[in-house]
Structures are given as structure tokens and as C-alpha cells.
Amino acid sequence: MTSKSVVPEGGAPEGVVPQTAESEFLAVRRHEDGVVELVMDRPKAMNAVSTGMARALGDACARLAADASVRVVVLSSAVERAFCVGADLKERNAMSDAELVRQRPTTRGAYGGVLELPMPTIAAVHGFALGGGFELALACDVIVADETAVVGLPEVSVGVIPGGGGTQLLPRRVGAARAAELIFTARRVEAPEALELGLVDSVVAAGTDREQALALAGKMAANSPVGLRAAKRALRLGHGMDLAAGLEIEDAAWRTVAFSGDRAEGVAAFNEKRKPRWPGV
């Protein structure tokens, strides 16, 4: 689908440039500080991931990944009751086995697209974040949830398993035994317990998840774009490695920033007692 500019009635809010519609249920909202929101907006289905929505999300992530001006991405929802309730089971119910096989690369492209974004990512979660919806949040580096959030991976209750990375991402957050208990019981977890278990990283007042996620994104985006991407690469690649291998990964990432324009500007700004003007290279 060809994207089109969307200008809200009364003009764009201060600090935001007009958003782009990736599809009828996904928009890209660009902020002047290099923060970009991917806004899911499929209210009648509570953001259930259909084939079309998965394709739009994967395509949008591919473009953002290649855009050096993007410093931080926030994945949010414009739907009041949900972040995302997972796969579109109504669509799935009408599919033949062959159609489901053909759909699989598209859905993997959506979840993998979020996971593989090279810049820091934050999920702003409220309401239901279940199944594939929670997997989209797990694919982000940080999860900010509000008090209404209910998360979980209930796939075994409908005869499948998490297929958007949940069996791999959840153990990395909470450990193998805790992940097994949550996946095998298919239970839903409300915000206070989700914070206690480490399923989310912070819980904020109801209705403020997007605001708080954008504020956090702004703090991240104030730092070196080259440094942010290199740090994420070291964190992701080094996770699960033995210490010696992890230190080699860190050293390789360090070398990509040590001789960069951002490093030179950061040192100069520190010595001149001013804010850095990052070249992003």
C-alpha cells in the first residue's frame, strides 16, 4: 500500500511532524527529536494481527531500520482497551492449511521486524497484550505498561504455541522455569504481578503509558545515535554468551563508535561544557 500523509484536524501537535498511514490500521508518527512511533489502530479487532496488519508492520520496520535519522522507536496503540490481543483468530479460522503456511513468512516478518530494529525500542502497553500482542512487546528493549495492562502467552489454550518469539524472548526476561509456568498455564497476568515477575519494566498511571514511553524515548534519543545502536548490538548479541565471548562482542561494538563522528563530538561537547550536536555517523 502506498503511504499517505495524515494531518490531524487543527494541525500536528507541537514537536510532531505529520504522521504517515502505512495501512488503515498502522501509522508512523515522527517526532522532531528522532523518536518515531509505530501506532497500531485496528479498534474493531483490538489490534489483532491480521495478514494485512502484519505486512504493514514488517514493511514499516524495514523502512525505519534503514533510516539513520531514527534514534528510538516507540510501539504504541490508539485502541483504548488493548495494546494488541495477538493473532487474528477469526481470519485464521477461515484459512486452509496451505493458506496458513503461506501466511507464516508475513507474520514472522512483523515480529522479526520489531525485534531486529537496530535502534532502541520501547513498547507502550495498556489493556490487553496477549499472545502475539505480548510478543510484540517482548521484541522491544523496554516495556512501559500502565495499570490496566494484562499480559500473557495463552496460545496453548487454543491448540498452538507462541509463534512470534515468545518461547525464546520470555525465558530471556524471566528465566526458563518462570517462562515455562506462564506458557504452560496460559494464564493472564495483571500489571502489578507483571512488574514483580519482570514481564514489564515499569507500571505507570492508567492512560499514561504512551506519554511515559515517549518521555523515556526522548531521554534515550538525546544520546549518540551511533552509540545507541552499538550498545544495543552488544547487548543483544552478547546475551547468553560466556563472558569471554561477550567481551569480544562488546569490543567489536566499541570499535564501531570509537572512531566515529559521534565520539569526537561527544568528547568535544564535554570539554566545551555544551550539549552535543550528534552527526550520527
Side-chain angles (χ1 to χ4, degrees), residues 268-275:
F270 176 83
N271 284 286
E272 295 166 16
K273 296 180 173 57
R274 59 173 175 81
K275 289 184 178 181

Side-chain angles (χ1 to χ4, degrees), residues 75-275:
L75 181 62
S76 65
S77 166
V79 177
E80 183 178 355
R81 294 182 55 206
F83 174 73
C84 174
V85 295
D88 187 337
L89 296 184
K90 289 184 179 180
E91 180 187 62
R92 293 274 181 95
N93 191 50
M95 285 182 170
S96 66
D97 289 350
E99 288 170 332
L100 186 60
V101 169
R102 287 195 294 271
Q103 184 208 40
R104 180 61 176 164
T106 302
T107 55
R108 286 198 70 182
Y111 298 112
V114 176
L115 182 65
E116 293 167 12
L117 284 169
M119 67 288 293
T121 52
I122 304 170
V125 174
H126 62 263
F128 297 112
L130 301 172
F134 188 41
E135 288 173 302
L136 287 173
L138 289 171
C140 295
D141 300 303
V142 178
I143 303 174
V144 175
D146 84 356
E147 295 168 338
T148 70
V150 178
V151 305
L153 297 176
E155 283 87 348
V156 297
S157 70
V158 292
V160 293
I161 70 166
T167 64
Q168 305 305 305
L169 296 172
L170 190 58
R172 285 167 166 77
R173 267 194 165 262
V174 300
R178 180 67 70 192
E181 182 264 321
L182 291 167
I183 291 172
F184 296 162
T185 62
R187 71 185 180 95
R188 299 180 179 190
V189 182
E190 295 185 355
E193 185 184 5
L195 179 62
E196 180 182 349
L197 297 179
L199 298 174
V200 302
D201 300 302
S202 62
V203 173
V204 299
T208 68
D209 53 294
R210 175 180 174 271
E211 173 188 346
Q212 296 295 331
L214 287 172
L216 179 60
K219 291 179 181 178
M220 294 180 182
N223 297 310
S224 159
V226 174
L228 288 171
R229 292 182 181 224
K232 177 167 179 172
R233 188 162 59 250
L235 285 164
R236 285 285 180 92
L237 294 178
H239 187 89
M241 295 284 189
D242 62 68
L243 180 59
L247 290 173
E248 290 302 315
I249 289 170
E250 180 184 81
D251 183 69
W254 177 86
R255 291 175 185 276
T256 67
V257 299
F259 310 104
S260 68
D262 273 14
R263 194 275 308 173
E265 168 60 13
V267 172
F270 176 83
N271 284 286
E272 295 166 16
K273 296 180 173 57
R274 59 173 175 81
K275 289 184 178 181

